[in-house]
Amino acid sequence: MNKSIDKDELNKGRYELNSVTEYKFGKTTYIVKTYFDLECKESLEDIVQRMITKEVERLMSR
């Protein structure tokens, strides 16, 4: 799931910086910051399981 978070949301304390990664493509460097949502109700295990289930369902419907 991709979600953009605006600066106002980050300053409210709901999100915690998780990691900062640099990706270089040619002469362009992208800095990607990931944040952990402290109010998230799903565990990482729940999210991964849901993604696997969706992918299996998609592949089986072909």
Side-chain angles (χ1 to χ4, degrees):
M1 170 170 75
N2 295 331
K3 179 181 177 189
S4 295
I5 303 168
D6 65 33
K7 290 181 181 181
D8 290 335
E9 285 183 291
L10 290 176
N11 293 330
K12 291 179 183 175
R14 175 179 172 179
Y15 299 96
E16 181 178 296
L17 181 63
N18 188 41
S19 68
V20 178
T21 308
E22 286 189 13
Y23 297 95
K24 294 183 181 187
F25 297 99
K27 295 181 180 180
T28 305
T29 301
Y30 297 92
I31 299 173
V32 178
K33 296 178 181 180
T34 59
Y35 290 84
F36 179 75
D37 184 350
L38 299 173
E39 296 179 11
C40 184
K41 304 292 185 221
E42 287 184 294
S43 68
L44 179 58
E45 183 179 350
D46 295 335
I47 294 167
V48 171
Q49 182 63 45
R50 180 171 33 87
M51 290 171 57
I52 291 170
T53 301
K54 280 186 174 183
E55 182 68 10
V56 169
E57 288 172 351
R58 185 184 68 79
L59 291 172
M60 292 182 69
S61 67
R62 286 184 175 184

Tab-separated table of all heavy atoms in Angstrom:
chain	number	residue	atom	x	y	z
A	1	MET	N	0.845	-1.164	0.000
A	1	MET	CA	0.000	0.000	0.000
A	1	MET	C	0.893	1.230	0.000
A	1	MET	O	1.785	1.364	0.814
A	1	MET	CB	-0.884	-0.027	1.241
A	1	MET	CG	-1.638	1.248	1.465
A	1	MET	SD	-2.885	1.161	2.740
A	1	MET	CE	-1.908	1.170	4.207
A	2	ASN	N	0.625	2.114	-0.923
A	2	ASN	CA	1.371	3.360	-0.999
A	2	ASN	C	0.492	4.477	-0.490
A	2	ASN	O	-0.640	4.628	-0.909
A	2	ASN	CB	1.779	3.662	-2.435
A	2	ASN	CG	2.747	2.648	-2.964
A	2	ASN	OD1	3.506	2.078	-2.207
A	2	ASN	ND2	2.707	2.414	-4.245
A	3	LYS	N	1.011	5.264	0.411
A	3	LYS	CA	0.266	6.393	0.921
A	3	LYS	C	1.223	7.548	1.127
A	3	LYS	O	2.260	7.384	1.753
A	3	LYS	CB	-0.408	6.052	2.248
A	3	LYS	CG	-1.185	7.215	2.822
A	3	LYS	CD	-1.826	6.895	4.138
A	3	LYS	CE	-2.521	8.127	4.661
A	3	LYS	NZ	-3.000	7.978	6.005
A	4	SER	N	0.877	8.677	0.578
A	4	SER	CA	1.673	9.873	0.801
A	4	SER	C	1.189	10.536	2.070
A	4	SER	O	-0.011	10.618	2.325
A	4	SER	CB	1.523	10.840	-0.371
A	4	SER	OG	2.052	10.265	-1.535
A	5	ILE	N	2.117	10.990	2.866
A	5	ILE	CA	1.788	11.633	4.134
A	5	ILE	C	2.271	13.074	4.041
A	5	ILE	O	3.433	13.327	3.731
A	5	ILE	CB	2.488	10.915	5.297
A	5	ILE	CG1	2.112	9.439	5.316
A	5	ILE	CG2	2.145	11.572	6.616
A	5	ILE	CD1	2.970	8.620	6.230
A	6	ASP	N	1.380	14.011	4.313
A	6	ASP	CA	1.830	15.403	4.244
A	6	ASP	C	2.555	15.778	5.540
A	6	ASP	O	2.480	15.090	6.547
A	6	ASP	CB	0.682	16.360	3.924
A	6	ASP	CG	-0.387	16.427	4.998
A	6	ASP	OD1	-0.058	16.292	6.187
A	6	ASP	OD2	-1.566	16.629	4.641
A	7	LYS	N	3.280	16.885	5.482
A	7	LYS	CA	4.118	17.295	6.613
A	7	LYS	C	3.312	17.565	7.875
A	7	LYS	O	3.782	17.326	8.977
A	7	LYS	CB	4.943	18.517	6.230
A	7	LYS	CG	6.022	18.202	5.232
A	7	LYS	CD	6.844	19.415	4.892
A	7	LYS	CE	7.895	19.046	3.863
A	7	LYS	NZ	8.740	20.175	3.519
A	8	ASP	N	2.081	18.063	7.733
A	8	ASP	CA	1.242	18.321	8.912
A	8	ASP	C	0.951	17.034	9.665
A	8	ASP	O	0.980	16.991	10.887
A	8	ASP	CB	-0.074	18.994	8.512
A	8	ASP	CG	0.140	20.421	8.045
A	8	ASP	OD1	1.151	21.035	8.453
A	8	ASP	OD2	-0.693	20.917	7.270
A	9	GLU	N	0.657	15.946	8.927
A	9	GLU	CA	0.390	14.656	9.564
A	9	GLU	C	1.621	14.141	10.304
A	9	GLU	O	1.517	13.578	11.387
A	9	GLU	CB	-0.050	13.619	8.525
A	9	GLU	CG	-1.461	13.794	8.030
A	9	GLU	CD	-1.849	12.686	7.072
A	9	GLU	OE1	-1.305	12.657	5.961
A	9	GLU	OE2	-2.697	11.860	7.467
A	10	LEU	N	2.803	14.330	9.708
A	10	LEU	CA	4.030	13.849	10.342
A	10	LEU	C	4.301	14.555	11.662
A	10	LEU	O	4.800	13.952	12.607
A	10	LEU	CB	5.222	14.043	9.403
A	10	LEU	CG	5.260	13.147	8.177
A	10	LEU	CD1	6.448	13.521	7.296
A	10	LEU	CD2	5.331	11.691	8.568
A	11	ASN	N	3.949	15.811	11.736
A	11	ASN	CA	4.215	16.590	12.946
A	11	ASN	C	3.236	16.313	14.078
A	11	ASN	O	3.467	16.736	15.201
A	11	ASN	CB	4.227	18.085	12.615
A	11	ASN	CG	5.393	18.465	11.729
A	11	ASN	OD1	6.445	17.843	11.791
A	11	ASN	ND2	5.202	19.467	10.897
A	12	LYS	N	2.159	15.589	13.822
A	12	LYS	CA	1.161	15.310	14.854
A	12	LYS	C	1.554	14.127	15.744
A	12	LYS	O	0.880	13.831	16.699
A	12	LYS	CB	-0.199	15.037	14.215
A	12	LYS	CG	-0.807	16.266	13.575
A	12	LYS	CD	-2.134	15.945	12.943
A	12	LYS	CE	-2.703	17.164	12.227
A	12	LYS	NZ	-3.933	16.854	11.507
A	13	GLY	N	2.633	13.439	15.426
A	13	GLY	CA	3.107	12.350	16.268
A	13	GLY	C	2.488	10.994	15.979
A	13	GLY	O	2.715	10.044	16.715
A	14	ARG	N	1.694	10.882	14.916
A	14	ARG	CA	1.066	9.601	14.590
A	14	ARG	C	2.058	8.660	13.904
A	14	ARG	O	1.942	7.452	13.996
A	14	ARG	CB	-0.144	9.831	13.684
A	14	ARG	CG	-0.768	8.549	13.205
A	14	ARG	CD	-1.973	8.782	12.340
A	14	ARG	NE	-2.405	7.513	11.778
A	14	ARG	CZ	-3.443	7.363	10.998
A	14	ARG	NH1	-4.164	8.410	10.679
A	14	ARG	NH2	-3.764	6.197	10.521
A	15	TYR	N	3.036	9.224	13.222
A	15	TYR	CA	3.971	8.431	12.435
A	15	TYR	C	5.374	8.525	13.015
A	15	TYR	O	5.792	9.565	13.508
A	15	TYR	CB	3.991	8.905	10.976
A	15	TYR	CG	2.653	8.772	10.312
A	15	TYR	CD1	1.782	9.843	10.236
A	15	TYR	CD2	2.243	7.568	9.772
A	15	TYR	CE1	0.532	9.718	9.636
A	15	TYR	CE2	1.016	7.426	9.170
A	15	TYR	CZ	0.160	8.512	9.105
A	15	TYR	OH	-1.067	8.385	8.514
A	16	GLU	N	6.087	7.415	12.923
A	16	GLU	CA	7.461	7.355	13.399
A	16	GLU	C	8.358	6.968	12.224
A	16	GLU	O	8.061	6.006	11.511
A	16	GLU	CB	7.547	6.299	14.501
A	16	GLU	CG	8.921	6.138	15.101
A	16	GLU	CD	8.897	5.106	16.213
A	16	GLU	OE1	8.216	5.339	17.216
A	16	GLU	OE2	9.552	4.068	16.041
A	17	LEU	N	9.442	7.716	12.035
A	17	LEU	CA	10.360	7.426	10.936
A	17	LEU	C	10.934	6.026	11.120
A	17	LEU	O	11.418	5.676	12.189
A	17	LEU	CB	11.487	8.457	10.891
A	17	LEU	CG	12.503	8.293	9.768
A	17	LEU	CD1	11.825	8.449	8.401
A	17	LEU	CD2	13.623	9.299	9.917
A	18	ASN	N	10.827	5.220	10.077
A	18	ASN	CA	11.283	3.840	10.136
A	18	ASN	C	12.629	3.669	9.443
A	18	ASN	O	13.530	3.043	9.982
A	18	ASN	CB	10.229	2.920	9.509
A	18	ASN	CG	10.532	1.466	9.701
A	18	ASN	OD1	10.965	1.062	10.765
A	18	ASN	ND2	10.331	0.682	8.669
A	19	SER	N	12.763	4.214	8.232
A	19	SER	CA	14.028	4.087	7.513
A	19	SER	C	14.138	5.142	6.428
A	19	SER	O	13.148	5.706	5.987
A	19	SER	CB	14.163	2.696	6.888
A	19	SER	OG	13.229	2.535	5.849
A	20	VAL	N	15.386	5.387	6.007
A	20	VAL	CA	15.674	6.291	4.900
A	20	VAL	C	16.590	5.527	3.953
A	20	VAL	O	17.609	4.986	4.361
A	20	VAL	CB	16.366	7.586	5.376
A	20	VAL	CG1	16.697	8.480	4.204
A	20	VAL	CG2	15.506	8.316	6.393
A	21	THR	N	16.182	5.448	2.681
A	21	THR	CA	16.941	4.695	1.691
A	21	THR	C	17.167	5.567	0.466
A	21	THR	O	16.291	6.325	0.071
A	21	THR	CB	16.167	3.426	1.264
A	21	THR	OG1	15.788	2.705	2.432
A	21	THR	CG2	17.006	2.531	0.389
A	22	GLU	N	18.353	5.451	-0.117
A	22	GLU	CA	18.662	6.166	-1.352
A	22	GLU	C	18.684	5.189	-2.513
A	22	GLU	O	19.259	4.104	-2.405
A	22	GLU	CB	20.031	6.847	-1.264
A	22	GLU	CG	20.047	8.066	-0.403
A	22	GLU	CD	21.362	8.826	-0.518
A	22	GLU	OE1	22.162	8.534	-1.445
A	22	GLU	OE2	21.583	9.711	0.318
A	23	TYR	N	18.037	5.569	-3.604
A	23	TYR	CA	18.040	4.792	-4.835
A	23	TYR	C	18.626	5.666	-5.926
A	23	TYR	O	18.203	6.807	-6.093
A	23	TYR	CB	16.622	4.364	-5.230
A	23	TYR	CG	15.962	3.446	-4.231
A	23	TYR	CD1	15.117	3.945	-3.252
A	23	TYR	CD2	16.189	2.077	-4.272
A	23	TYR	CE1	14.519	3.105	-2.335
A	23	TYR	CE2	15.589	1.227	-3.362
A	23	TYR	CZ	14.752	1.747	-2.398
A	23	TYR	OH	14.159	0.905	-1.493
A	24	LYS	N	19.600	5.131	-6.661
A	24	LYS	CA	20.210	5.884	-7.749
A	24	LYS	C	19.857	5.233	-9.073
A	24	LYS	O	20.068	4.047	-9.276
A	24	LYS	CB	21.722	5.934	-7.573
A	24	LYS	CG	22.129	6.727	-6.348
A	24	LYS	CD	23.617	6.836	-6.211
A	24	LYS	CE	23.932	7.620	-4.945
A	24	LYS	NZ	25.341	7.913	-4.806
A	25	PHE	N	19.284	6.037	-9.958
A	25	PHE	CA	18.953	5.625	-11.307
A	25	PHE	C	19.610	6.622	-12.247
A	25	PHE	O	19.171	7.776	-12.339
A	25	PHE	CB	17.438	5.592	-11.538
A	25	PHE	CG	16.722	4.597	-10.676
A	25	PHE	CD1	16.086	4.999	-9.511
A	25	PHE	CD2	16.691	3.255	-11.026
A	25	PHE	CE1	15.424	4.085	-8.715
A	25	PHE	CE2	16.038	2.335	-10.230
A	25	PHE	CZ	15.407	2.738	-9.076
A	26	GLY	N	20.673	6.193	-12.903
A	26	GLY	CA	21.411	7.111	-13.761
A	26	GLY	C	21.998	8.230	-12.934
A	26	GLY	O	22.674	7.998	-11.937
A	27	LYS	N	21.700	9.468	-13.320
A	27	LYS	CA	22.227	10.632	-12.607
A	27	LYS	C	21.253	11.161	-11.546
A	27	LYS	O	21.507	12.189	-10.942
A	27	LYS	CB	22.548	11.745	-13.603
A	27	LYS	CG	23.660	11.387	-14.552
A	27	LYS	CD	23.945	12.526	-15.504
A	27	LYS	CE	25.067	12.159	-16.458
A	27	LYS	NZ	25.369	13.241	-17.377
A	28	THR	N	20.158	10.452	-11.349
A	28	THR	CA	19.141	10.901	-10.402
A	28	THR	C	19.175	10.050	-9.139
A	28	THR	O	19.229	8.826	-9.213
A	28	THR	CB	17.739	10.812	-11.027
A	28	THR	OG1	17.732	11.557	-12.248
A	28	THR	CG2	16.682	11.364	-10.086
A	29	THR	N	19.161	10.693	-7.983
A	29	THR	CA	19.107	10.004	-6.698
A	29	THR	C	17.767	10.304	-6.047
A	29	THR	O	17.371	11.455	-5.913
A	29	THR	CB	20.248	10.471	-5.771
A	29	THR	OG1	21.496	10.208	-6.414
A	29	THR	CG2	20.195	9.750	-4.439
A	30	TYR	N	17.063	9.240	-5.660
A	30	TYR	CA	15.786	9.361	-4.961
A	30	TYR	C	16.010	8.993	-3.511
A	30	TYR	O	16.604	7.969	-3.198
A	30	TYR	CB	14.747	8.423	-5.562
A	30	TYR	CG	14.403	8.731	-6.993
A	30	TYR	CD1	15.087	8.123	-8.049
A	30	TYR	CD2	13.395	9.642	-7.302
A	30	TYR	CE1	14.779	8.407	-9.363
A	30	TYR	CE2	13.086	9.937	-8.616
A	30	TYR	CZ	13.781	9.314	-9.637
A	30	TYR	OH	13.474	9.610	-10.935
A	31	ILE	N	15.544	9.836	-2.607
A	31	ILE	CA	15.616	9.547	-1.183
A	31	ILE	C	14.208	9.178	-0.737
A	31	ILE	O	13.275	9.978	-0.858
A	31	ILE	CB	16.153	10.742	-0.387
A	31	ILE	CG1	17.569	11.076	-0.865
A	31	ILE	CG2	16.109	10.456	1.107
A	31	ILE	CD1	18.143	12.333	-0.280
A	32	VAL	N	14.065	7.951	-0.237
A	32	VAL	CA	12.751	7.431	0.162
A	32	VAL	C	12.743	7.252	1.672
A	32	VAL	O	13.587	6.547	2.234
A	32	VAL	CB	12.455	6.085	-0.544
A	32	VAL	CG1	11.114	5.537	-0.084
A	32	VAL	CG2	12.500	6.244	-2.054
A	33	LYS	N	11.782	7.908	2.318
A	33	LYS	CA	11.627	7.778	3.764
A	33	LYS	C	10.373	6.949	4.029
A	33	LYS	O	9.328	7.199	3.434
A	33	LYS	CB	11.467	9.148	4.416
A	33	LYS	CG	12.680	10.030	4.264
A	33	LYS	CD	12.449	11.388	4.896
A	33	LYS	CE	13.662	12.274	4.710
A	33	LYS	NZ	13.460	13.600	5.315
A	34	THR	N	10.498	5.957	4.881
A	34	THR	CA	9.332	5.160	5.253
A	34	THR	C	9.004	5.435	6.714
A	34	THR	O	9.892	5.638	7.547
A	34	THR	CB	9.564	3.652	5.038
A	34	THR	OG1	10.684	3.231	5.812
A	34	THR	CG2	9.816	3.339	3.577
A	35	TYR	N	7.709	5.440	6.992
A	35	TYR	CA	7.228	5.747	8.323
A	35	TYR	C	6.337	4.620	8.829
A	35	TYR	O	5.662	3.949	8.055
A	35	TYR	CB	6.412	7.052	8.315
A	35	TYR	CG	7.260	8.269	8.069
A	35	TYR	CD1	7.595	8.670	6.788
A	35	TYR	CD2	7.746	9.003	9.134
A	35	TYR	CE1	8.391	9.777	6.568
A	35	TYR	CE2	8.545	10.118	8.927
A	35	TYR	CZ	8.858	10.497	7.637
A	35	TYR	OH	9.645	11.596	7.426
A	36	PHE	N	6.337	4.430	10.133
A	36	PHE	CA	5.483	3.455	10.786
A	36	PHE	C	4.276	4.194	11.349
A	36	PHE	O	4.424	5.197	12.046
A	36	PHE	CB	6.260	2.753	11.911
A	36	PHE	CG	5.450	1.744	12.649
A	36	PHE	CD1	5.171	0.513	12.083
A	36	PHE	CD2	4.964	2.022	13.917
A	36	PHE	CE1	4.415	-0.420	12.764
A	36	PHE	CE2	4.217	1.089	14.597
A	36	PHE	CZ	3.936	-0.133	14.020
A	37	ASP	N	3.078	3.700	11.046
A	37	ASP	CA	1.838	4.307	11.531
A	37	ASP	C	1.546	3.759	12.922
A	37	ASP	O	1.217	2.586	13.093
A	37	ASP	CB	0.689	3.972	10.578
A	37	ASP	CG	-0.623	4.635	10.957
A	37	ASP	OD1	-0.712	5.222	12.065
A	37	ASP	OD2	-1.554	4.576	10.141
A	38	LEU	N	1.682	4.600	13.940
A	38	LEU	CA	1.495	4.166	15.322
A	38	LEU	C	0.049	3.808	15.643
A	38	LEU	O	-0.208	3.117	16.630
A	38	LEU	CB	1.996	5.251	16.279
A	38	LEU	CG	3.490	5.579	16.149
A	38	LEU	CD1	3.838	6.784	17.006
A	38	LEU	CD2	4.341	4.385	16.515
A	39	GLU	N	-0.898	4.244	14.818
A	39	GLU	CA	-2.313	3.951	15.046
A	39	GLU	C	-2.812	2.779	14.204
A	39	GLU	O	-4.005	2.486	14.196
A	39	GLU	CB	-3.148	5.192	14.770
A	39	GLU	CG	-2.848	6.328	15.731
A	39	GLU	CD	-3.658	7.573	15.439
A	39	GLU	OE1	-4.601	7.511	14.623
A	39	GLU	OE2	-3.337	8.615	16.030
A	40	CYS	N	-1.916	2.107	13.509
A	40	CYS	CA	-2.291	0.996	12.640
A	40	CYS	C	-2.871	-0.155	13.461
A	40	CYS	O	-2.331	-0.527	14.500
A	40	CYS	CB	-1.078	0.519	11.854
A	40	CYS	SG	-1.456	-0.773	10.682
A	41	LYS	N	-3.980	-0.703	13.008
A	41	LYS	CA	-4.641	-1.802	13.717
A	41	LYS	C	-4.160	-3.173	13.246
A	41	LYS	O	-4.381	-4.165	13.909
A	41	LYS	CB	-6.160	-1.718	13.520
A	41	LYS	CG	-6.760	-0.395	13.934
A	41	LYS	CD	-6.684	-0.192	15.419
A	41	LYS	CE	-7.414	1.085	15.800
A	41	LYS	NZ	-6.773	1.867	16.791
A	42	GLU	N	-3.498	-3.228	12.079
A	42	GLU	CA	-3.023	-4.494	11.528
A	42	GLU	C	-1.545	-4.693	11.862
A	42	GLU	O	-0.768	-3.754	11.844
A	42	GLU	CB	-3.142	-4.502	9.998
A	42	GLU	CG	-4.519	-4.637	9.464
A	42	GLU	CD	-4.491	-4.718	7.957
A	42	GLU	OE1	-4.120	-3.738	7.312
A	42	GLU	OE2	-4.859	-5.780	7.432
A	43	SER	N	-1.175	-5.930	12.113
A	43	SER	CA	0.236	-6.248	12.297
A	43	SER	C	0.866	-6.458	10.920
A	43	SER	O	0.169	-6.627	9.921
A	43	SER	CB	0.396	-7.511	13.137
A	43	SER	OG	-0.061	-8.640	12.406
A	44	LEU	N	2.175	-6.480	10.875
A	44	LEU	CA	2.863	-6.746	9.622
A	44	LEU	C	2.471	-8.124	9.097
A	44	LEU	O	2.268	-8.308	7.898
A	44	LEU	CB	4.382	-6.658	9.814
A	44	LEU	CG	5.225	-6.934	8.580
A	44	LEU	CD1	4.869	-5.977	7.445
A	44	LEU	CD2	6.696	-6.858	8.908
A	45	GLU	N	2.317	-9.073	9.980
A	45	GLU	CA	1.897	-10.418	9.580
A	45	GLU	C	0.532	-10.389	8.895
A	45	GLU	O	0.328	-11.047	7.866
A	45	GLU	CB	1.842	-11.342	10.792
A	45	GLU	CG	1.481	-12.764	10.456
A	45	GLU	CD	1.462	-13.669	11.678
A	45	GLU	OE1	1.910	-13.259	12.755
A	45	GLU	OE2	0.974	-14.800	11.531
A	46	ASP	N	-0.411	-9.626	9.436
A	46	ASP	CA	-1.742	-9.501	8.826
A	46	ASP	C	-1.655	-8.910	7.419
A	46	ASP	O	-2.317	-9.376	6.491
A	46	ASP	CB	-2.654	-8.610	9.674
A	46	ASP	CG	-2.967	-9.179	11.038
A	46	ASP	OD1	-2.912	-10.416	11.191
A	46	ASP	OD2	-3.261	-8.385	11.956
A	47	ILE	N	-0.843	-7.887	7.262
A	47	ILE	CA	-0.713	-7.213	5.980
A	47	ILE	C	-0.101	-8.145	4.938
A	47	ILE	O	-0.605	-8.252	3.815
A	47	ILE	CB	0.123	-5.931	6.132
A	47	ILE	CG1	-0.624	-4.919	7.006
A	47	ILE	CG2	0.457	-5.323	4.773
A	47	ILE	CD1	0.220	-3.752	7.466
A	48	VAL	N	0.974	-8.836	5.312
A	48	VAL	CA	1.630	-9.750	4.376
A	48	VAL	C	0.692	-10.891	4.004
A	48	VAL	O	0.595	-11.276	2.837
A	48	VAL	CB	2.961	-10.273	4.955
A	48	VAL	CG1	3.539	-11.373	4.089
A	48	VAL	CG2	3.954	-9.132	5.109
A	49	GLN	N	-0.037	-11.431	4.978
A	49	GLN	CA	-0.977	-12.518	4.703
A	49	GLN	C	-2.060	-12.059	3.720
A	49	GLN	O	-2.411	-12.773	2.787
A	49	GLN	CB	-1.626	-13.027	5.994
A	49	GLN	CG	-2.569	-14.182	5.785
A	49	GLN	CD	-1.873	-15.407	5.231
A	49	GLN	OE1	-0.811	-15.784	5.693
A	49	GLN	NE2	-2.447	-16.020	4.221
A	50	ARG	N	-2.566	-10.851	3.905
A	50	ARG	CA	-3.581	-10.308	3.002
A	50	ARG	C	-3.021	-10.152	1.591
A	50	ARG	O	-3.678	-10.481	0.598
A	50	ARG	CB	-4.088	-8.966	3.532
A	50	ARG	CG	-5.139	-8.316	2.656
A	50	ARG	CD	-5.788	-7.095	3.291
A	50	ARG	NE	-4.944	-6.299	4.148
A	50	ARG	CZ	-4.153	-5.295	3.740
A	50	ARG	NH1	-4.117	-4.967	2.471
A	50	ARG	NH2	-3.433	-4.608	4.600
A	51	MET	N	-1.783	-9.678	1.484
A	51	MET	CA	-1.160	-9.505	0.169
A	51	MET	C	-0.964	-10.848	-0.533
A	51	MET	O	-1.225	-10.968	-1.732
A	51	MET	CB	0.186	-8.794	0.322
A	51	MET	CG	0.056	-7.347	0.732
A	51	MET	SD	1.613	-6.559	1.160
A	51	MET	CE	2.561	-6.781	-0.314
A	52	ILE	N	-0.533	-11.847	0.217
A	52	ILE	CA	-0.332	-13.188	-0.365
A	52	ILE	C	-1.670	-13.753	-0.835
A	52	ILE	O	-1.774	-14.299	-1.935
A	52	ILE	CB	0.344	-14.129	0.648
A	52	ILE	CG1	1.782	-13.679	0.886
A	52	ILE	CG2	0.290	-15.581	0.171
A	52	ILE	CD1	2.470	-14.375	2.044
A	53	THR	N	-2.692	-13.623	-0.017
A	53	THR	CA	-4.021	-14.135	-0.370
A	53	THR	C	-4.533	-13.473	-1.642
A	53	THR	O	-5.031	-14.152	-2.546
A	53	THR	CB	-5.006	-13.898	0.788
A	53	THR	OG1	-4.513	-14.564	1.949
A	53	THR	CG2	-6.391	-14.413	0.455
A	54	LYS	N	-4.400	-12.159	-1.742
A	54	LYS	CA	-4.849	-11.444	-2.947
A	54	LYS	C	-4.091	-11.905	-4.181
A	54	LYS	O	-4.677	-12.081	-5.247
A	54	LYS	CB	-4.673	-9.933	-2.771
A	54	LYS	CG	-5.753	-9.275	-1.966
A	54	LYS	CD	-5.552	-7.779	-1.981
A	54	LYS	CE	-6.693	-7.070	-1.321
A	54	LYS	NZ	-6.564	-5.619	-1.379
A	55	GLU	N	-2.778	-12.103	-4.045
A	55	GLU	CA	-1.977	-12.519	-5.184
A	55	GLU	C	-2.355	-13.929	-5.624
A	55	GLU	O	-2.478	-14.202	-6.823
A	55	GLU	CB	-0.477	-12.459	-4.825
A	55	GLU	CG	0.428	-12.821	-5.965
A	55	GLU	CD	0.439	-11.834	-7.112
A	55	GLU	OE1	-0.116	-10.723	-6.973
A	55	GLU	OE2	0.979	-12.177	-8.170
A	56	VAL	N	-2.564	-14.838	-4.684
A	56	VAL	CA	-2.977	-16.207	-5.027
A	56	VAL	C	-4.346	-16.193	-5.714
A	56	VAL	O	-4.553	-16.867	-6.735
A	56	VAL	CB	-2.997	-17.109	-3.773
A	56	VAL	CG1	-3.682	-18.435	-4.050
A	56	VAL	CG2	-1.583	-17.330	-3.259
A	57	GLU	N	-5.281	-15.413	-5.194
A	57	GLU	CA	-6.608	-15.306	-5.806
A	57	GLU	C	-6.504	-14.757	-7.227
A	57	GLU	O	-7.186	-15.230	-8.134
A	57	GLU	CB	-7.520	-14.428	-4.954
A	57	GLU	CG	-7.948	-15.082	-3.666
A	57	GLU	CD	-8.691	-14.127	-2.742
A	57	GLU	OE1	-8.738	-12.894	-3.013
A	57	GLU	OE2	-9.212	-14.609	-1.727
A	58	ARG	N	-5.633	-13.773	-7.417
A	58	ARG	CA	-5.448	-13.174	-8.743
A	58	ARG	C	-4.875	-14.211	-9.712
A	58	ARG	O	-5.342	-14.342	-10.847
A	58	ARG	CB	-4.523	-11.966	-8.659
A	58	ARG	CG	-4.368	-11.220	-9.966
A	58	ARG	CD	-3.373	-10.093	-9.861
A	58	ARG	NE	-2.001	-10.546	-9.684
A	58	ARG	CZ	-1.230	-10.995	-10.690
A	58	ARG	NH1	-1.681	-11.032	-11.913
A	58	ARG	NH2	0.012	-11.388	-10.449
A	59	LEU	N	-3.893	-14.956	-9.275
A	59	LEU	CA	-3.268	-15.961	-10.140
A	59	LEU	C	-4.215	-17.110	-10.459
A	59	LEU	O	-4.175	-17.662	-11.559
A	59	LEU	CB	-1.989	-16.498	-9.491
A	59	LEU	CG	-0.836	-15.499	-9.414
A	59	LEU	CD1	0.305	-16.075	-8.576
A	59	LEU	CD2	-0.337	-15.112	-10.783
A	60	MET	N	-5.070	-17.480	-9.521
A	60	MET	CA	-5.991	-18.593	-9.740
A	60	MET	C	-7.160	-18.209	-10.647
A	60	MET	O	-7.794	-19.078	-11.243
A	60	MET	CB	-6.506	-19.134	-8.414
A	60	MET	CG	-5.411	-19.819	-7.608
A	60	MET	SD	-6.003	-20.513	-6.075
A	60	MET	CE	-6.994	-21.846	-6.700
A	61	SER	N	-7.423	-16.915	-10.768
A	61	SER	CA	-8.557	-16.473	-11.600
A	61	SER	C	-8.181	-16.353	-13.069
A	61	SER	O	-9.009	-16.033	-13.899
A	61	SER	CB	-9.093	-15.148	-11.098
A	61	SER	OG	-8.140	-14.119	-11.291
A	62	ARG	N	-6.943	-16.606	-13.415
A	62	ARG	CA	-6.496	-16.505	-14.818
A	62	ARG	C	-6.968	-17.672	-15.625
A	62	ARG	O	-7.147	-18.742	-15.317
A	62	ARG	CB	-4.980	-16.447	-14.887
A	62	ARG	CG	-4.451	-15.122	-14.446
A	62	ARG	CD	-2.961	-15.089	-14.631
A	62	ARG	NE	-2.479	-13.761	-14.306
A	62	ARG	CZ	-1.231	-13.396	-14.450
A	62	ARG	NH1	-0.349	-14.241	-14.915
A	62	ARG	NH2	-0.853	-12.206	-14.145
